[in-house]
């Protein structure tokens, strides 16, 4: 029925109206709502897929940071590699709740 990805379950193969609720997400963009202040079914599926992939994406980004640290060693701070390393570290910090 669904693909178990840790705490989050994406119920592939089922119409969205048959999914078990994992969260109700309010929408702050009025152009995306249809008579209510909830996100569309398409947005719900997109969010569920992103949440399900998050653990693997987090681990991949951790590995990318390790590689970028080695590649960027000794490079000038304005080097594009160093910019990517800073961005990756900031994204990890955000995922860890260390920044907003």
């Amino acid at each position: 029925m669904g693909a178990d990805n840790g705490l989050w379950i994406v119920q592939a193969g089922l119409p969205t109206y048959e999914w078990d609720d994992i969260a109700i997400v309010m929408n702050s963009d009025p152009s995306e709502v249809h008579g209510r202040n909830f996100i569309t079914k398409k947005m719900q599926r997109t969010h569920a897929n992103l949440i399900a992939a998050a653990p693997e994406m987090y681990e991949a980004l951790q590995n990318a940071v390790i590689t970028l640290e080695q590649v960027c060693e000794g490079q000038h701070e304005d080097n594009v590699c160093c910019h990517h390393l800073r961005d990756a570290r900031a994204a990890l910090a955000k995922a860890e709740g260390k920044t907003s």
Side-chain angles (χ1 to χ4, degrees):
M1 187 178 335
D4 187 352
N5 294 301
L7 295 176
W8 302 99
I9 298 173
V10 175
Q11 297 170 336
L14 289 179
T16 53
Y17 61 83
E18 290 183 10
W19 286 8
D20 294 326
D21 290 337
I22 58 170
I24 296 176
V25 181
M26 301 302 283
N27 187 358
S28 60
D29 182 356
S31 68
E32 291 290 332
V33 295
H34 302 282
R36 302 186 310 244
N37 196 25
F38 295 104
I39 62 174
T40 63
K41 292 289 186 182
K42 181 179 179 181
M43 290 174 68
Q44 288 175 5
R45 183 173 192 84
T46 299
H47 290 180
N49 289 335
L50 183 59
I51 290 167
E56 290 86 1
M57 293 185 335
Y58 179 80
E59 184 178 352
L61 190 55
Q62 286 178 314
N63 292 332
V65 165
I66 291 168
T67 301
L68 283 170
E69 287 172 341
Q70 295 168 357
V71 171
C72 295
E73 188 174 339
Q75 298 291 323
H76 189 272
E77 66 181 33
D78 287 336
N79 182 294
V80 69
C81 178
C82 295
H83 286 283
H84 291 311
L85 179 57
R86 279 192 297 274
D87 291 346
R89 285 179 175 157
L92 287 174
K94 188 173 184 178
E96 295 166 352
K98 295 178 181 173
T99 63
S100 56

